[in-house]
Amino acid sequence: MNGFKRIMVGLDFTIMDKMLIQYTAFLAYYLNPEKIYFINIQPDLDIPDSVREIYPELRQPRDEKLLEDLKTKVNDHFPNLAEYEVDFQIIEGSARVELARWSHIKNVDLLLLGRKSLKHGKGIVPQHLARKLECSIMFIPEQVRFELKDILVANDFSNYAKTAIQVAGQFQQSDPSINIYSGHVFNLPQGYYRTGKSEAEFAEIMEHHAHSRYQQFRAEIPTSIRLTPLYCFDKDHRSAARVIHETATKQNIDLIVIGSRGHTSTSAFLLGSVSEKLIRINDTSPILMVKHAQHIKLLEVVESL
């Protein structure tokens, strides 16, 4: 069983489509979805009659031609497509609005989008779209590795982080060799020096406090999910998102999973803003932003772990 039964993939007829289709096939092995939607959104499907008269080859309705091209592209790059129930959609309108609308109409659990580098254009502003969506969303960079050995879950010990870890557990259930790291970012409270402790001494105190909270948190996670805690010291108060990104790079992480909201006063997290900033600065690892509503669908998954 899985919590991502209905997956939608946003394609735009650019060079990223091949990678995104191949990565969808790669993920499908772990998630075993019941339905996959491939969708392309065009700002305008109309072709002026005067242009059609000059170019008879354009007389076929544009949406029909695009639908044919979309099916061909997906079939070319998704080797075992026949194993899944698949649907194709060509939609007219604003990409940001229509992706949110159609993911709701189709009751989608997970939306997959390519994360373009600046040299190929920004495309949809990821953090703006993330705010509008009801479903979980994964942003996949251009140079993604087709590996899933190490997952980093951003953990502030909230219910949102618990949901994110349960999602990571789905991947580990499919492949027990996957390592899941629970990454908690902490910093020092203002005025800590008034205690007479050095920075290093108080950092050790805060890490010990984080470890105690982790143990309490861990007791609420199924023991079948194997976790390795990481405590990441934000020494210079840069930002939790930047520390997560650097930790993922250092650990050679294949996937970052983060809850969409959450807050604790002793951590460096406000997961709503952290997830958006992480999406903005990270272009090396796929990021799976889990919406808290996913928790309901994960209850059955956790019971089966």
Side-chain angles (χ1 to χ4, degrees), residues 161-174:
K162 186 186 300 182
T163 303
I165 284 176
Q166 291 167 354
V167 167
Q170 292 185 63
F171 293 97
Q172 194 179 70
Q173 185 182 26
S174 297

Side-chain angles (χ1 to χ4, degrees), residues 74-123:
V74 172
N75 275 282
D76 286 347
H77 302 300
F78 199 126
N80 55 335
L81 190 65
E83 297 178 14
Y84 302 94
E85 185 178 350
V86 180
D87 186 61
F88 300 90
Q89 299 280 339
I90 300 293
I91 306 297
E92 183 177 23
S94 160
R96 194 169 69 182
V97 172
E98 296 302 327
L99 281 172
R101 188 167 78 91
W102 280 92
S103 63
H104 172 76
I105 289 172
K106 298 298 185 180
N107 194 25
V108 167
D109 301 307
L110 176 64
L111 174 65
L112 303 180
L113 290 176
R115 172 73 164 86
K116 290 186 174 71
S117 67
L118 294 178
K119 66 181 179 181
H120 291 144
K122 295 181 181 179

